[in-house]
Amino acid sequence: MSSDTAIRFDKVSKIFSKGHRQYGTLRDEFISFFSKRKLTRSRNPNQFFAIKNLSFSIRKGESVGLYGPNGSGKSTLLRLVAKVITPTCGSIKVNGRIAPLIELGAGFHPDLNGFENIYMNGAILGMTIGEIKLKMDQIVEYSGLGDFMTTPVKKYSSGMNLRLGFSIAIHSDADIFLIDEILAVGDEEFKKRSFDSIKELLEKKKTLLIVSHDLKKLTKMTNKIVKLNKGSMLND
Amino acid sequence: MFNRLKNYKDLFFVFVWRELLIRYKQTAIGVLWALIQPLSMMALFVIVFGYVLNINTKGYPRSLFYFAGLVPWTFFSSSVNASINSLIDHRDLITKIYFPRELIIFSRISVFITDFIISAMLLAAMVFFCKTPFTLNFLWVIPLCVLLFLFTASVCLLFGTINVYYRDMRLASGFLLQVWFFSSPVFYSIDTISLKMKLFLFLNPLTYIIENFRRVLIEERGIVLWQFAIAAGFVMALFFVSYKIFIRLERSFADVI
């Protein structure tokens, strides 16, 4: 992989099963644990391709928009990049630190207050404790939650959760940002501010991967738009 | 194996710090619980196993004898109990962000290590008040604790993983821990039972750990080296294998959890 590639997918497929369990019986699981090869299981009608034989690469500093109907594999793709799930076959190379803005505030603990949760979420996003301390004031100011920082997060409204989560993520010094639909929530003022921040990330030559249903907005934030359908890329 | 944790040192500290913070949030007496729990169990043992059943404690003070067994046992059982659900409790994180998942289990165990240290200090005070002469054999406690921590960590990794796939684990855990309790020498001494039974009980590494924990602390005896070597070898191998299994299965946690 050349040094200016940020993300590369090589013939990646991801199979999900419709049932609540991925594999069948204990026996199947035992066998699949010891078999090195994947995809040896017989084709099951309950399984479907969320991503099908996808190959592409994204250069550093590029901003790519993902567009497609529900169930086209956009979020699965982001989760594959974030290493949350592993591909059924194919390989993924990622070069750099990732900040998944997939569901902001996922790492918040309801009983902890704003400050404590900044440490928590910041560390999850790969910041060191020193870095978090250094950026604490900026994060608090950006979120605009000054008076509520000592309140337990369980008492926050969803808008406050979003503000704090976005603020932490945007201040994490990651190389690759994964952004999923988050701009759909929040009030007008915050939407505008987050839009500006994303523009700023672009200027800083960060790599962005943005999922949205809003094609107009997407064209403003990205240099390239990829259309997905049923797990495959449509040629544009 | 531990290389993958290199970049996650800070996250581990934050996890431990969070576990400690939330543990005593909204409690009235907070950290005192770390003492009340084993002490009240000890009182119960003195009444039930001591006065009612009159179980032989080899002439050592009953409270001391039971407490010395309860300190390692409480650490083991509460760690296992808390770890079984720990991965499920973090479903939100596991399905959204990547980090080595064992951090969840290790940080949960370290909370019980602090509890263990607090109750071990109380135990040390009790040993001192019972005028047990201090010998160098006391130092054996340190390697025994290491074995206890490693063994507990292996069981927690295994049970936590199984529970991600099969929630039967959570339902079985109550009964399982109860059986485990009776087959560990917490309220009896291994010296008082027949050889055949003894060999059977030594299949449980906790038997070795708890029995020797008491032996070096209150019985002023040392430990038998070759026995220690076997126990240490077994526990280390178990830790290695269970950690490998965990790493192998961790990749599909987000799919099945």
Side-chain angles (χ1 to χ4, degrees):
Chain A
M1 181 152 108
S2 63
S3 63
D4 68 337
T5 313
I7 302 167
R8 194 166 83 185
F9 273 48
D10 197 16
K11 295 193 184 114
V12 171
S13 295
K14 178 70 188 176
I15 294 178
F16 281 131
S17 72
K18 288 173 193 158
H20 67 97
R21 183 160 282 160
Q22 192 78 352
Y23 312 105
T25 57
L26 255 180
R27 185 175 150 269
D28 291 349
E29 229 153 278
F30 195 71
I31 292 168
S32 77
F33 181 83
F34 286 104
S35 65
K36 278 269 180 281
R37 271 183 310 156
K38 290 168 184 171
L39 259 187
T40 47
R41 274 167 269 133
S42 59
R43 191 62 49 77
N44 186 325
N46 247 335
Q47 296 180 328
F48 66 95
F49 282 95
I51 296 283
K52 201 168 184 177
N53 206 14
L54 207 59
S55 300
F56 66 88
S57 63
I58 296 174
R59 270 177 291 117
K60 280 183 182 163
E62 225 176 350
S63 166
V64 175
L66 295 173
Y67 180 75
N70 284 335
S72 56
K74 304 182 298 294
S75 300
T76 307
L77 201 150
L78 288 197
R79 290 167 77 206
L80 281 167
V81 175
K83 286 208 287 183
V84 169
I85 52 178
T86 39
T88 316
C89 58
S91 74
I92 300 172
K93 292 260 161 58
V94 176
N95 212 346
R97 204 161 96 182
I98 304 171
L101 283 68
I102 293 174
E103 212 149 315
L104 292 167
F108 286 165
H109 193 285
D111 281 331
L112 299 181
N113 69 29
F115 286 120
E116 290 158 352
N117 268 306
I118 289 179
Y119 277 103
M120 192 59 219
N121 227 353
I124 289 171
L125 290 173
M127 297 164 87
T128 63
I129 295 169
E131 262 175 80
I132 301 169
K133 267 191 192 137
L134 219 66
K135 288 185 177 160
M136 183 59 89
D137 292 339
Q138 287 177 47
I139 295 172
V140 174
E141 193 183 315
Y142 186 93
S143 71
L145 294 175
D147 298 340
F148 295 96
M149 289 313 286
T150 48
T151 313
V153 163
K154 61 184 170 191
K155 293 185 180 164
Y156 279 22
S157 68
S158 54
M160 289 159 83
N161 255 321
L162 171 85
R163 278 160 178 267
L164 190 60
F166 187 80
S167 178
I168 299 165
I170 216 85
H171 286 91
S172 78
D173 199 22
D175 310 303
I176 301 166
F177 288 82
L178 310 176
I179 303 167
D180 190 358
E181 293 294 353
I182 46 153
L183 303 173
V185 263
D187 58 20
E188 283 309 314
E189 180 262 329
F190 195 75
K191 256 188 215 173
K192 192 189 166 308
R193 197 137 51 103
S194 48
F195 185 72
D196 292 343
S197 302
I198 288 172
K199 281 260 167 198
E200 228 170 86
L201 290 179
L202 264 175
E203 280 156 26
K204 281 195 227 157
K205 288 283 163 214
K206 303 282 188 186
T207 310
L208 303 183
L209 206 51
I210 306 173
V211 164
S212 178
H213 289 292
D214 188 344
L215 200 53
K216 221 160 69 194
K217 212 163 212 171
L218 218 47
T219 45
K220 275 192 237 164
M221 291 188 287
T222 57
N223 357 94
K224 191 165 123 190
I225 290 179
V226 169
K227 287 179 182 158
L228 283 174
N229 194 22
K230 290 188 177 152
S232 308
M233 230 178 240
L234 299 179
N235 292 330
D236 48 346
Chain B
M1 198 154 83
F2 291 105
N3 245 349
R4 60 199 235 114
L5 299 180
K6 209 174 58 199
N7 293 329
Y8 292 93
K9 203 178 68 218
D10 286 60
L11 181 58
F12 178 66
F13 285 135
V14 170
F15 266 139
V16 174
W17 164 81
R18 183 199 60 170
E19 292 282 333
L20 288 171
L21 264 182
I22 55 176
R23 189 162 157 74
Y24 299 116
K25 275 254 157 107
Q26 285 205 5
T27 60
I29 54 170
V31 79
L32 272 180
W33 278 112
L35 290 178
I36 290 176
Q37 220 202 343
L39 275 179
S40 50
M41 279 302 270
M42 179 193 80
L44 198 68
F45 276 29
V46 170
I47 295 165
V48 176
F49 298 121
Y51 293 108
V52 180
L53 296 173
N54 210 5
I55 287 176
N56 183 0
T57 57
K58 299 197 290 182
Y60 298 106
R62 279 196 173 117
S63 50
L64 186 63
F65 183 90
Y66 293 140
F67 198 64
L70 270 169
V71 170
W73 168 256
T74 310
F75 167 74
F76 174 78
S77 67
S78 18
S79 302
V80 171
N81 216 358
S83 296
I84 285 176
N85 265 332
S86 62
L87 294 169
I88 312 274
D89 289 345
H90 289 82
R91 180 191 278 118
D92 270 359
L93 277 183
I94 288 177
T95 54
K96 267 143 213 155
I97 293 178
Y98 179 75
F99 56 89
R101 308 323 189 179
E102 62 268 34
L103 290 183
I104 293 175
I105 287 176
F106 289 165
S107 62
R108 208 155 259 198
I109 296 175
S110 38
V111 172
F112 293 102
I113 291 185
T114 49
D115 278 12
F116 175 80
I117 291 171
I118 293 172
S119 48
M121 288 196 301
L122 183 68
L123 176 64
M126 280 170 68
V127 169
F128 178 75
F129 278 115
C130 289
K131 301 212 165 52
T132 314
F134 179 83
T135 62
L136 278 180
N137 282 334
F138 272 26
L139 294 179
W140 278 110
V141 161
I142 296 163
L144 284 172
C145 284
V146 174
L147 282 196
L148 177 67
F149 296 159
L150 280 183
F151 180 67
T152 306
S154 330
V155 174
C156 291
L157 285 173
L158 284 176
F159 284 13
T161 310
I162 294 173
N163 197 40
V164 171
Y165 290 82
Y166 298 98
R167 302 291 140 87
D168 308 57
M169 192 66 238
R170 186 178 51 198
L171 300 167
S173 68
F175 175 69
L176 205 66
L177 278 173
Q178 211 130 48
V179 173
W180 214 320
F181 168 75
F182 284 110
S183 40
S184 310
V186 183
F187 64 91
Y188 56 90
S189 166
I190 203 88
D191 291 344
T192 55
I193 51 182
S194 69
L195 184 69
K196 231 177 167 179
M197 198 62 191
K198 225 189 249 184
L199 289 176
F200 176 70
L201 285 179
F202 268 115
L203 290 176
N204 166 19
L206 272 187
T207 302
Y208 180 82
I209 295 169
I210 295 177
E211 185 67 20
N212 280 282
F213 200 80
R214 191 152 48 208
R215 209 169 131 128
V216 301
L217 273 182
I218 67 174
E219 300 183 10
E220 306 160 46
R221 292 152 77 190
I223 68 181
V224 184
L225 264 182
W226 66 268
Q227 286 175 357
F228 180 79
I230 292 175
F234 178 76
V235 168
M236 281 193 276
L238 180 73
F239 181 72
F240 183 77
V241 170
S242 42
Y243 201 7
K244 280 278 182 217
I245 291 178
F246 185 88
I247 291 173
R248 172 74 177 73
L249 291 176
E250 179 216 52
R251 284 184 263 157
S252 51
F253 276 2
D255 292 329
V256 282
I257 201 165

